[in-house]
Amino acid sequence: MSFKIASSPHQHSQRSTSQLMRLVVLACIPGIAVQAVLFGYGVLIQLLLAVITAWLSEALVLMLRRKAVFIRLKDNSAMLTAVLLAVAIPPYAPWWIIVIGTAFAIIMVKQLYGGLGNNLFNPAMAAYVLLLVSFPLQMTQWLPPLSLQSVTLTPLDAVCSIFTQYSCSGFSLAQLQANVDGVTMATPLDTLRTGLSRGLTLDESLQNPVFFAFAGAGWLWVNLAYLVGGLVLIQQKAIGWRIPVAVLASLFVLSAVASLAAPDSIAGPMFHLFSGGTMLAAFFIATDPVSASTTNKGRLIYGALIGLLVFLIRSFGGYPDAYAFAVLLANMTVPLIDYYTRPRTYGHRQRSELK
């Protein structure tokens, strides 16, 4: 009988790493489909560019390291990184945005540290932060949902917009960002932040047409779709419940208390839970088995820390969504969290008990 020693991710199931990564990608399909329906075909084009770039980048580094290329490509980890980054960026961002981001995630964040199981940070979120800091204009050019768009884009228009920044009909991205009334739109989180910075109250800011019910138009359905995918992952035991529950509970409690204390400037918990990338981050990004905490208590602390950081950055920081920064900051604390929450070894006795 032989035992194999391998690096993380470790899962207490009969699934291989390849099967686990593929299952997570499949669970993303409801969210991806809703994004494509509500925000246009650009989501699918970005996905294709990201996956191709991830495979080529991984293959290149593996060849330089003289490792078996096809065996490691089959673990689907590069594809998952590509998918998570592609759905996080604006659907009609220039093609080179996703290429640079995906190549950075695979080469610098993953392979430079030794490949799968050795990276300190979540590759997709590290790449997202790089792109957001380096190219803030391109990374904030989100189009409004199709119901609010002044121009309907065909699949060919999507290709032209991504590769030339103009639709086939000659509309620029700035023109496409305008709603049916000709007003330039932004994401709900960014719109709320802008309104509050201009001295508007919360209720006045929420009068913008980009808001719908208690969340942003379109974003409510996107978050619900990723919530469904995340629950499937928990039901299939592909991920644990502790991290996503801790993330959502922490964000809910903090935003609820703060909104009661400052109702004119802090949005309520339902807005925070169903706007931006909340469900995507809670179920698909924060639960990364390599960069997240590995103990049961540690996972609860790690998830709660992410929720806390998201609330603080959204409410008082300079970036509206904040999940990428929150996840990376929490990644830094994982060794410390794991050290103080590791379970006691069987048969271990405290030194004070031995005296």
Side-chain angles (χ1 to χ4, degrees), residues 257-311:
V257 172
S259 63
L260 290 175
D264 289 335
S265 58
I266 303 293
M270 300 307 291
F271 176 82
H272 281 283
L273 291 181
F274 292 97
S275 292
T278 300
M279 297 301 170
L280 173 66
F283 289 95
F284 294 90
I285 295 173
T287 55
D288 173 26
V290 178
S291 56
S293 179
T294 58
T295 67
N296 287 337
K297 291 182 181 179
R299 290 178 180 130
L300 292 173
I301 297 172
Y302 173 79
L305 177 61
I306 291 176
L308 169 64
L309 292 171
V310 167
F311 172 75

Side-chain angles (χ1 to χ4, degrees), residues 334-350:
V334 164
L336 188 65
I337 292 174
D338 283 352
Y339 179 81
Y340 283 105
T341 60
R342 59 187 177 185
R344 180 179 297 184
T345 306
Y346 179 75
H348 172 81
R349 296 178 65 186
Q350 294 284 358

Side-chain angles (χ1 to χ4, degrees), residues 57-267:
S57 300
E58 183 122 312
L60 174 62
V61 176
L62 289 173
M63 286 189 292
L64 292 175
R65 295 177 61 198
R66 297 182 181 180
K67 301 289 185 179
V69 175
F70 293 104
I71 294 178
R72 285 170 170 78
L73 283 179
K74 286 167 58 177
D75 66 16
N76 294 319
S77 61
M79 179 174 65
L80 177 58
T81 296
V83 169
L84 294 178
L85 180 60
V87 299
I89 71 169
Y92 294 96
W95 64 270
W96 45 268
I97 287 286
I98 192 62
V99 170
I100 291 174
T102 307
F104 177 82
I106 299 299
I107 297 174
M108 303 301 294
V109 186
K110 180 185 176 184
Q111 290 296 336
L112 191 64
Y113 284 92
L116 180 64
N118 298 297
N119 48 285
L120 302 177
F121 301 100
N122 185 290
M125 292 299 94
Y128 183 89
V129 168
L130 169 77
L131 295 175
L132 187 61
V133 173
S134 303
F135 312 105
L137 176 61
Q138 290 81 1
M139 287 294 290
T140 54
Q141 290 182 324
W142 282 87
L143 268 62
L146 292 179
S147 60
L148 298 176
Q149 289 181 18
S150 58
V151 179
T152 302
L153 298 178
T154 65
L156 187 57
D157 285 324
V159 174
C160 292
S161 297
I162 290 173
F163 285 95
T164 69
Q165 296 301 280
Y166 288 91
S167 69
C168 297
S169 304
F171 291 101
S172 67
L173 277 182
Q175 293 172 310
L176 296 175
Q177 279 186 280
N179 67 0
V180 292
D181 296 323
V183 179
T184 300
M185 305 289 288
T187 63
L189 289 167
D190 192 41
T191 301
L192 179 61
R193 175 180 295 279
T194 302
L196 293 175
S197 67
R198 292 171 52 193
L200 300 178
T201 65
L202 179 64
D203 289 337
E204 291 171 339
S205 300
L206 294 178
Q207 298 305 310
N208 191 294
V210 75
F211 297 103
F212 170 76
F214 51 77
W219 292 98
L220 170 62
W221 304 113
V222 170
N223 276 281
L224 287 174
Y226 281 115
L227 173 61
V228 170
L231 294 177
V232 169
L233 290 180
I234 293 177
Q235 188 273 329
Q236 292 293 315
K237 297 183 178 180
I239 62 174
W241 60 268
R242 290 174 176 82
I243 291 177
V245 167
V247 171
L248 299 179
S250 174
L251 183 58
F252 180 91
V253 171
L254 290 169
S255 56
V257 172
S259 63
L260 290 175
D264 289 335
S265 58
I266 303 293

